[in-house]
């Protein structure tokens, strides 16, 4: 099972969890959870006017052996207006997830992906927990 939580944070709200959304999916091959502005395909949706987030920004996909990975999907622009950082709880310092890049989620691990707006003090914080 993969569990996700998402909070949108702007300006002075840093650390606030009001409006937190949650989603989960069983660790079955082909299971998908998406984060973005398109409520039709994303289980976790950001505000429509947050254009630094793509229609479908992050995709969590379960592989054939029940392991999960996350991909920052490439959008229609060559240069994104956001930055994504990836952190594992108890791990090293945050790492940049490259535009179009993929990272594996450790079994039994947890962490956070933060989508930062390059033009202002806004972020989308997506926490994850991959049950062992």
């Amino acid at each position: 099972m993969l569990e996700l939580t998402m909070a949108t944070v702007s300006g002075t709200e840093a650390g606030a969890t009001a409006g937190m959304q949650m989603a989960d999916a069983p660790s079955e091959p082909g299971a998908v959870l998406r984060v973005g502005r398109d409520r039709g395909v994303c289980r976790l949706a950001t505000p429509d006017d947050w254009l630094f987030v793509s229609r479908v920004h992050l995709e969590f996909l379960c592989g054939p052996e029940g392991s999960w990975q996350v991909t920052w999907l490439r959008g229609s622009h060559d240069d994104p207006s956001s930055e994504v950082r990836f952190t594992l709880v108890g791990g090293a310092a945050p790492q940049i997830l490259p535009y179009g890049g993929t990272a594996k989620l450790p079994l039994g691990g947890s962490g956070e992906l933060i989508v930062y707006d390059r033009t202002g003090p806004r972020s989308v914080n997506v926490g994850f927990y991959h049950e062992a």
Side-chain angles (χ1 to χ4, degrees), residues 30 34 63 71 73 87 106 120 129:
R34 293 182 183 100
T71 301
L73 299 174
T87 305
Y129 175 67

Side-chain angles (χ1 to χ4, degrees), residues 58-82:
L58 299 173
E59 180 177 80
F60 294 82
L61 175 65
C62 186
E65 67 288 338
S67 63
W68 286 86
Q69 65 182 30
V70 60
T71 301
W72 179 7
L73 299 174
R74 292 189 67 87
S76 59
H77 296 62
D78 289 335
D79 187 28
S81 56
S82 63

Side-chain angles (χ1 to χ4, degrees), residues 1-45:
M1 171 88 59
L2 179 68
E3 299 172 351
L4 300 178
T5 58
M6 183 190 81
T8 54
V9 180
S10 63
T12 60
E13 298 172 339
T17 57
M20 183 174 286
Q21 300 177 43
M22 292 185 257
D24 60 29
S27 293
E28 297 172 353
V32 177
L33 289 169
R34 293 182 183 100
V35 177
R37 287 184 290 120
D38 187 340
R39 290 173 180 1
V41 295
C42 297
R43 292 272 307 273
L44 298 174

